[in-house]
Amino acid sequence: MNSIVINVGNSNIRFGLFNGDNCDISWVINTKPYRTVDELYVQMLMLYQTYKIEPEEISKVIIGSVVPQLTKVISSAIKKIHKISPVIVDRSTPSGVQAKSKQMGTDIYANLVAAHNLYPNRKKIVIDFGTALTASCVTETGETLGVIIAPGIVTSLNSLINQTAQLPDIELKKPKTVLGLDTVTCMQSGMVYGFLGMVEGFIDRINDEVNDDCFVVATGGVSHVYKPLTEKIHVMDRLHTLKGLYFLGKDLQPS
């Protein structure tokens, strides 16, 4: 059975084509909160053509969103393309994970659900390098232990650039040296090693608080920058949140 899973985030909308439990193809478009149904309809059809996806071969569409104004627009575009209603999942969707908070974002909940399904029998920490930098922890039995939310890396970098007169836009990558002698290297060091220290600190403090050595999964747009720089992150998976949304919606029917 082929499914399309859509993760509507604050910065990007990620789509995944699932064949059974496997995500075969994934693509990302920029989140613009005031898109029309027609805009999304055309853009999605063009991407389907690019990846050779036939709409009639899709039996289910699952949507998880943290941008409410886009949820209805995407749902309408899906109905127009696939002639089916999407399954919309959120923190109230039943799973093996207990959300324990009515304020938990759908993306964080999906991260915990994916970790619970993919890495059983141990406590897990999921670090999501998204618009916000989040760290969430779940037990072997699916109990949510808590979440940390901090400013996102790209969000912080854009704020730094926009609020200063002489700091340039830079590529977020590991600099050749920790101590820089040119502006770009200095900024790269601050963004990469500064946030790396924060992430490692989160992991150490969570491990101390839960009295365990948790299995750590990294996901989100810039997770690939940080995974090679630390042994504290065990797995990097950009599709982790999509997989959680898939697990939440795969046995549900549209309401």
Side-chain angles (χ1 to χ4, degrees), residues 2-253:
N2 288 334
S3 307
I4 296 283
V5 181
I6 306 172
N7 177 27
V8 185
N10 288 295
S11 299
N12 295 307
I13 305 172
R14 183 176 285 276
F15 297 76
L17 172 66
F18 280 74
N19 182 2
D21 290 353
N22 299 314
C23 186
D24 294 332
I25 301 169
S26 174
W27 63 94
V28 179
I29 63 175
N30 187 251
T31 299
K32 295 178 181 175
Y34 303 107
R35 288 180 191 268
T36 66
V37 173
D38 290 331
E39 278 182 287
L40 273 170
Y41 172 78
V42 170
Q43 191 169 16
M44 287 173 66
L45 277 182
M46 289 174 61
L47 286 162
Y48 281 8
Q49 290 174 359
T50 300
Y51 291 103
K52 297 180 172 56
I53 297 170
E54 298 294 337
E56 60 272 13
E57 294 178 1
I58 303 301
S59 54
K60 176 176 282 189
V61 179
I62 301 167
I63 299 175
S65 174
V66 295
V67 188
Q69 63 265 42
L70 270 179
T71 308
K72 289 184 178 179
V73 177
I74 291 179
S75 297
S76 297
I78 289 298
K79 290 176 186 175
K80 199 171 178 181
I81 294 170
H82 294 282
K83 308 297 188 287
I84 58 174
S85 296
V87 173
I88 298 174
V89 297
D90 58 25
R91 63 177 168 268
S92 64
T93 304
S95 76
V97 171
Q98 301 92 53
K100 292 178 69 174
S101 171
K102 293 182 179 179
Q103 297 180 334
M104 180 176 286
T106 301
D107 51 348
I108 293 175
Y109 182 48
N111 282 339
L112 295 178
V113 169
H116 182 64
N117 280 272
L118 296 171
Y119 312 103
N121 305 321
R122 59 192 303 183
K123 292 186 180 73
K124 283 81 61 175
I125 297 170
V126 183
I127 308 289
D128 193 335
F129 293 85
T131 306
L133 174 65
T134 65
S136 46
C137 187
V138 64
T139 68
E140 304 91 327
T141 59
E143 179 188 358
T144 299
L145 294 179
V147 180
I148 300 170
I149 300 177
I153 294 159
V154 175
T155 307
S156 299
L157 177 59
N158 289 337
S159 177
L160 178 65
I161 293 165
N162 293 333
Q163 297 297 320
T164 53
Q166 292 187 312
L167 294 183
D169 198 355
I170 63 168
E171 180 184 0
L172 188 64
K173 66 176 185 178
K174 174 190 172 184
K176 292 180 179 179
T177 57
V178 175
L179 293 172
L181 291 174
D182 61 272
T183 303
V184 170
T185 303
C186 296
M187 291 174 66
Q188 286 173 334
S189 185
M191 297 306 301
V192 171
Y193 292 116
F195 277 90
L196 180 65
M198 183 190 292
V199 167
E200 290 181 327
F202 286 167
I203 294 168
D204 287 342
R205 288 177 182 274
I206 292 170
N207 281 335
D208 287 345
E209 188 159 286
V210 305
N211 193 30
D212 206 339
D213 184 17
C214 297
F215 185 78
V216 181
V217 182
T219 190
V222 296
S223 54
H224 65 285
V225 175
Y226 293 85
K227 168 64 176 76
L229 302 179
T230 178
E231 294 181 354
K232 294 182 184 294
I233 296 173
H234 302 112
V235 171
M236 190 277 289
D237 184 359
R238 283 186 174 178
L239 304 181
H240 186 82
T241 313
L242 275 184
K243 292 173 182 176
L245 296 174
Y246 170 77
F247 287 128
L248 281 170
K250 72 173 185 174
D251 295 325
L252 299 181
Q253 299 301 319

